[in-house]
Amino acid sequence: MTTLAANAAAILDQYAAHLAEPPPTPPQEPWAMQSLADGAAGISLLHIELASRHGGSWRSAHRWIASAASSPISAADQTGLFLGVPAVGFLLATVPPAYQHLYASARTTLHQHIVGLAHRRVNAALARIDRGDLPTFAEYDLFYGLTGIGAYLLRTEPKGPGLERILQYLVALTQPLALDGRRLPGWWVRHDPARGESPYFPGGHGNFGAAHGITGPLLLLAQALRRGITVHGHQDAMFTICAQLDAWCQHDDSGPWWPEHISRRDLDRGHPHHDAPTRPSWCYGTTGIARAGQLAGIALRSPTLQKFYEDALYRALTDAKQLAQVTDTGLCHGWAGIYQTAVRAAADALDPQLRFLPLFLGDTFAEQARPGCLPTAGLINGDAGSALALTTLASHQTPSTGWDACLLIN
């Protein structure tokens, strides 16, 4: 074991101790335990990975799983990959074969609910498109929309009709909409980036991030095509998204970068209000966008496209100004998400430079990762996400459970 890996393993032990016992279910918010983002469902992923790869106790993993399912699990139409039945279903899909029999009945029941949810959500989304209305994040994004439900189905029933209909919907999402005499991208949402109304975003906005923007659908379309799963118009939809990313790509001395979002004014003038790259995070930054573009290049068998995005990723993650904007170790905005994405990208890379990124980034990540430094214990912005990325760093191997499929980077 290298010094870096040994250091990461020691820090990981501290995280495991810090997150050893699930807290009581909050009586006023019992649904919170079902959250993959902040609750027991997300923290369970850490204990499952620790038991599967690092010799941890399954008893600990089971306690966290039981905590995530300690109250009635919501199958409401507002649920998605990071909350409710899809979140708990994804969690159980990461359980290693030796323990799957413990949860077989629950998995079957949850899966049936998730497939039904997928069909209802697609029906509603297609009806909205037929009306010519604009969508919201919650319709299509990775966290709570159809892209996230598709990520679950890609893992559990890739040949099923549920995923097929979601992919067909994402193809339709890439078609432009006419609103007030103006053609807008089909993924243009009617609200501002904070899901509200703002004078800075009259008429909504276009979002490029992996978490809530059009990069999420591109990730799912690419991951499906890479596995040989395709629907009519699939590749054309991917080319349409890549063309949008190309149209809004900016260039400076640090390499290509993309705005997090654009307003109607930006669209009219053809230039973003951003004047420099923001932090290179998984959720909104070049890291997530470049991984999506790399996967699109692989799936579409376009080495030129793949190499362009690999170069963008390498330049962003070796640029001191961009890295200086990374201020935490979380998955969504911080070092854990950057590191985990870089590991996945390096494994697929044509560009040999990318193979050095995990070592370079891992050193910085390990220096900053300490339990209790983040405001929450959860997966997406908290200690569990940092610890899961540390399992990769400590073992120098990709996850045995595939937990990072919830980010669509693998």
Side-chain angles (χ1 to χ4, degrees), residues 48-127:
I48 293 170
E49 182 68 28
L50 288 173
S52 178
R53 170 62 59 76
H54 296 269
S57 164
W58 188 255
R59 182 173 297 177
S60 179
H62 182 76
R63 283 200 302 270
W64 279 96
I65 294 170
S67 179
S70 59
S71 59
I73 302 170
S74 176
D77 286 354
Q78 293 74 30
T79 59
L81 180 61
F82 278 76
L83 185 67
V85 290
V88 180
F90 179 86
L91 156 64
L92 294 184
T94 67
V95 172
Y99 302 103
Q100 287 177 2
H101 66 281
L102 299 173
Y103 313 100
S105 177
R107 282 188 65 182
T108 299
T109 300
L110 288 168
H111 184 76
Q112 291 170 346
H113 281 293
I114 297 165
V115 171
L117 175 67
H119 286 292
R120 295 196 306 273
R121 297 281 297 271
V122 169
N123 290 341
L126 293 178

